[in-house]
Amino acid sequence: MSNELTVAPSFTVCGAGLSGTLAALYLARQGNRVMLYERFPDMRTSTVPRGRSINLALSRRGLHALETIGLAPVIRPLAIPMRGRLIHSQQGDLTFQPYGRTPDETIFSISRHQLNCALLDAAERWPNLEIHFSKRCVGLQLSSLTLDIEDVPTRTVRQASARTVIGADGAFSVVRQALQRTERYDYAQTFLPHGYKELTIPALPGGLHALEKNYLHIWPRQDFMLIALPNLDGSFTCTLFLAYEGPESFARLTDDDAIRRFFDHYFPDVVPLMPTLVEDFKYNPTGSMVTIRCFPWQHAGRVVLLGDAAHAVVPFYGQGMNASFEDCVVLDECLRRHNGDTAAAFLDYQQQRKVNTDALAELAYENYLEMRAKVASPWFLLRRRLEYGLSSLLGDRFLPLYTMVSFTRIPYAEARARAARQDRLLDIALAAGGVAGLILLLWLVWRWLG
Amino acid sequence: MSNELTVAPSFTVCGAGLSGTLAALYLARQGNRVMLYERFPDMRTSTVPRGRSINLALSRRGLHALETIGLAPVIRPLAIPMRGRLIHSQQGDLTFQPYGRTPDETIFSISRHQLNCALLDAAERWPNLEIHFSKRCVGLQLSSLTLDIEDVPTRTVRQASARTVIGADGAFSVVRQALQRTERYDYAQTFLPHGYKELTIPALPGGLHALEKNYLHIWPRQDFMLIALPNLDGSFTCTLFLAYEGPESFARLTDDDAIRRFFDHYFPDVVPLMPTLVEDFKYNPTGSMVTIRCFPWQHAGRVVLLGDAAHAVVPFYGQGMNASFEDCVVLDECLRRHNGDTAAAFLDYQQQRKVNTDALAELAYENYLEMRAKVASPWFLLRRRLEYGLSSLLGDRFLPLYTMVSFTRIPYAEARARAARQDRLLDIALAAGGVAGLILLLWLVWRWLG
């Protein structure tokens, strides 16, 4: 066993966020010696920077990745099932939209912090996995495969050589920056004109939830929206998505009065539930949302990217973490299939994942365009009912896009292509239905006249 | 006059390539004090690095920019009219495709070097325009608007403060890098899997051209192609566009034999005209082709990008220089319109240009996909004839896309949208023609049987 450990290639993982820690776990399980560097102190024993935690929605792909490595029993109790969207109109009316076709098709609200802590707990149990906190990767020399590791408290930098580097260091990845300096590197970063702000609805006395617990709450307001996801302690983590500039924007909400007026006008039912609204709004940072696309994801079979470092997406399909966890599963499979030949494994992984995370980026962006407005439209609701109706008639031959993305592991690109075909079918069905309705109407009028 | 000069804002232009020098000329004409920095020595008195000069095709937009500033009389004698494409098949057959609807609709082959020299000659005549060669902008601090200017021979860097900075320093612009470090900056660089290699067909004795002079010669071979543009001295500048990797690629053409076999097989009619083929192929660098998209193009009304720094495109529509020259015209108009208010002028310029250079990037990429293969297809030729026929019938109400791009100043985005509408019309016309033809055929068969 000890011989196996020294023979196996060792992996250096940069970033102990969600995807880095899960990747390290998968690599450790294969018997590799794994070194995991994290720029922040151990989050299990230190305070978290406030207001940067769009709550997470765990769905099929993410759950599958956790199940495969045996973590589902630890994670499930941390997760609150959300059966569907609960839409809040400006007048306070509520509309329910189930996520699934059956009651067991639910997504799960989970705290990023608690999930990450659980992953770190699990990682610590592997003797062949070392975690170094407050150590930040600030540079990578590709030729020698040497990492510059900064000890954050002292700001001293030492060199660490690596055999294989996994860049899981997020949307502004330093590992990716080394790849970006290679020849003919494709790279794109695209920011949304909207930012986000985290807010809180605290628990009622006795740890009760102030809103219905098992739903994702949405207040769609055309050009902006508020969402709320339940936490275990009875509170809700809320996120306001709002333009940076323009008539209704973060730029206009600079003083207490303006903030209060804005919420009183657009979200009157929430204001009484947010006692620290104005303080939260002022002190929590305004987060930006970026889509990152790059290629290649790997270099010479020695360096590979995963998670946001490879494909940051905007959060509107709730799939960022799920896709990153799927990266870990596919990378694990590729390394096994190619028997430790990292060059072949990384190419295979990249080939499988790039097209699908590109498709996810499109899906997430399309939902950004549509979600604020569409979920409140009667036409959208009609189409949605028809889709779910067709799906119960035709079973797996007709799956709504949301179902394919959230409740199956059909690759994103395939899901997107199938949905486009189904959309055309639905258009035809709707047109035929319209014509039939018109004929019926004419017949009724004719009978009534006769 | 001297008072006017000190009052007028002064402009620092980084890059004395084609667009930087023309921009400096336009700014000097407005009475501004202009400082122009160029990293290379004065090209009029020093040798040029070899093999980096895809020959240029000057068309309406570029000519208009030169006319507006009074340079047409200097430039015209340097330019060789090209009346159309001359397509060389692998068997040596020639097909002529005129560019224009009338003989005066031609594009012009011009040497990048000679054009740039002519612009520099013109720039030197303005007393309020200073050119500094071998001075490279290596950094820009946006807060203080200070440039780091490296004296290239001594590699010493000094700071120069600026009032307004024009970034005309190419696809890998240092000025743009400063903008890229600002918050929420959109940036994308996308490389083609093809590279290019410059080759030469020397003049025949007596300065005669070895191929027909007034044409752009194309050897389309599906996955790769060779083109040749005429020079004044009787030579042709040729460019081979070929994939970096794959069965027929630069990666396979590493020794003399392979190079010779490749050319003998695919371009047998050219080989006898290229006595230094193998040497040129081996010693000229393989150039890469990149599309750059970024936004915003300006910062605080103090810094603005133009040319490749703002929107490098692939060369397949022959519009890179023409679009950059159009930038100079629009920037000039905006500065006049807003009476020297650079903040308003830069926003206006960016608003006008961004959408159009984005459209050009698409056009150029689409031509990359189609040009190697399409120009040789009979179906393409049929459609093309129909387009030109419709255009002579309908006049300016139906303009082929190539005509709009190359022989008008219709904004690129508008040209692209009009072409899409016309394409649909043409599809209908072709379908109707097909049906009519079928009916005619059936009638003939019926008469013949009867």
Side-chain angles (χ1 to χ4, degrees), chain A residues 170-335:
Chain A
F172 300 98
S173 168
V174 168
V175 174
R176 188 187 64 228
Q177 277 170 30
L179 301 193
Q180 283 173 244
R181 282 190 294 271
T182 61
E183 263 187 53
R184 294 188 278 129
Y185 196 80
D186 284 351
Y187 175 71
Q189 57 180 48
T190 316
F191 287 84
L192 294 189
H194 282 67
Y196 71 88
K197 178 82 76 177
E198 187 185 310
L199 301 166
T200 296
I201 295 176
L204 298 179
L208 292 175
H209 286 83
L211 296 166
E212 298 286 328
K213 178 182 170 190
N214 291 109
Y215 301 95
L216 193 154
H217 295 263
I218 308 188
W219 292 257
R221 298 292 181 268
Q222 297 290 336
D223 287 333
F224 49 93
M225 72 171 175
L226 181 72
I227 66 169
L229 280 84
N231 297 316
L232 283 181
D233 65 1
S235 65
F236 281 87
T237 300
C238 308
T239 311
L240 173 70
F241 297 96
L242 179 66
Y244 279 98
E245 310 285 338
E248 298 291 8
S249 69
F250 282 114
R252 301 291 173 93
L253 301 183
T254 46
D255 62 76
D256 297 15
D257 265 9
I259 296 166
R260 259 190 226 104
R261 271 201 313 271
F262 176 80
F263 277 86
D264 284 342
H265 184 68
Y266 290 110
F267 310 110
D269 56 339
V270 193
V271 175
L273 310 178
M274 290 181 164
T276 55
L277 167 63
V278 174
E279 290 70 32
D280 287 355
F281 194 95
K282 283 185 348 196
Y283 297 112
N284 284 345
T286 305
S288 63
M289 288 172 283
V290 68
T291 302
I292 303 269
R293 288 184 185 81
C294 63
F295 195 82
W297 286 7
Q298 68 89 37
H299 179 81
R302 307 294 297 275
V303 181
V304 73
L305 304 175
L306 60 75
D308 282 358
H311 53 72
V313 298
V314 296
F316 300 96
Y317 223 111
Q319 285 293 312
M321 169 189 62
N322 290 288
S324 299
F325 281 8
E326 207 172 41
D327 287 349
C328 298
V329 175
V330 174
L331 183 60
D332 180 63
E333 286 167 1
C334 290
L335 284 167

Side-chain angles (χ1 to χ4, degrees), chain B residues 403-420:
Chain B
T403 302
M404 288 191 278
V405 168
S406 301
F407 303 123
T408 78
R409 295 193 295 121
I410 296 169
Y412 292 118
E414 194 185 319
R416 194 157 177 258
R418 271 182 72 170

